[in-house]
Amino acid sequence: MIEEDYNQLKDCFISSQILFDKLNLVAINAKELDYDESGLYQDDEDMYKRHWLKLSSKIVDKMSETLSNYKIELLNNSELTTMELRFNLVQDDEISKISVDYSEKGALCITQNS
């Protein structure tokens, strides 16, 4: 990924900070679920999954607007409590792997892995 595109991506993430803060809250709430034998947690877990999907989709939509020349793939987290989004950004058969850690409210740690 060239530096200009990376800077646009970074600005996109910064403008999406409120969405990342909401994802942070979803993860915190998911950590606090009481997984007992009654199964009553299932409705809450489903609700958190829907929130995660809606919020992360909004971030991907903003990324698509900003980086229209890239195909953006959001990689699913295995756990709702994971406070990181991972993406593959594909352009001309070149893949850039990006991860965004949002574990600290109001702050993002963006890493380009390739």
Side-chain angles (χ1 to χ4, degrees):
M1 173 176 266
I2 63 173
E3 187 175 346
E4 181 181 330
D5 290 346
Y6 180 79
N7 287 332
Q8 288 178 332
L9 179 64
K10 184 173 70 170
D11 291 342
C12 173
F13 288 150
I14 291 168
S15 70
S16 300
Q17 180 67 53
I18 193 162
L19 297 172
F20 284 104
D21 287 344
K22 289 180 179 182
L23 280 171
N24 178 286
L25 187 58
V26 167
I28 290 169
N29 288 334
K31 280 183 183 178
E32 295 174 356
L33 275 178
D34 184 18
Y35 291 98
D36 59 15
E37 293 178 12
S38 70
L40 295 176
Y41 63 85
Q42 190 64 48
D43 288 342
D44 288 337
E45 185 178 53
D46 290 343
M47 177 186 64
Y48 295 139
K49 286 179 183 178
R50 287 190 307 272
H51 286 317
W52 183 91
L53 184 59
K54 184 175 182 177
L55 293 166
S56 59
S57 294
K58 285 183 178 185
I59 292 168
V60 169
D61 290 346
K62 282 189 166 201
M63 291 171 64
S64 295
E65 290 172 13
T66 302
L67 299 171
S68 58
N69 51 339
Y70 285 85
K71 177 183 175 201
I72 299 167
E73 301 169 346
L74 172 65
L75 306 174
N76 280 331
N77 292 338
S78 58
E79 300 285 328
L80 277 174
T81 56
T82 303
M83 295 185 183
E84 177 183 58
L85 288 183
R86 294 172 297 122
F87 306 93
N88 287 335
L89 279 63
V90 182
Q91 181 186 44
D92 301 328
D93 295 329
E94 183 180 315
I95 299 175
S96 297
K97 296 179 181 291
I98 305 289
S99 62
V100 182
D101 181 320
Y102 53 88
S103 58
E104 187 178 330
K105 186 175 179 181
L108 299 174
C109 180
I110 304 165
T111 305
Q112 182 175 350
N113 300 320
S114 66

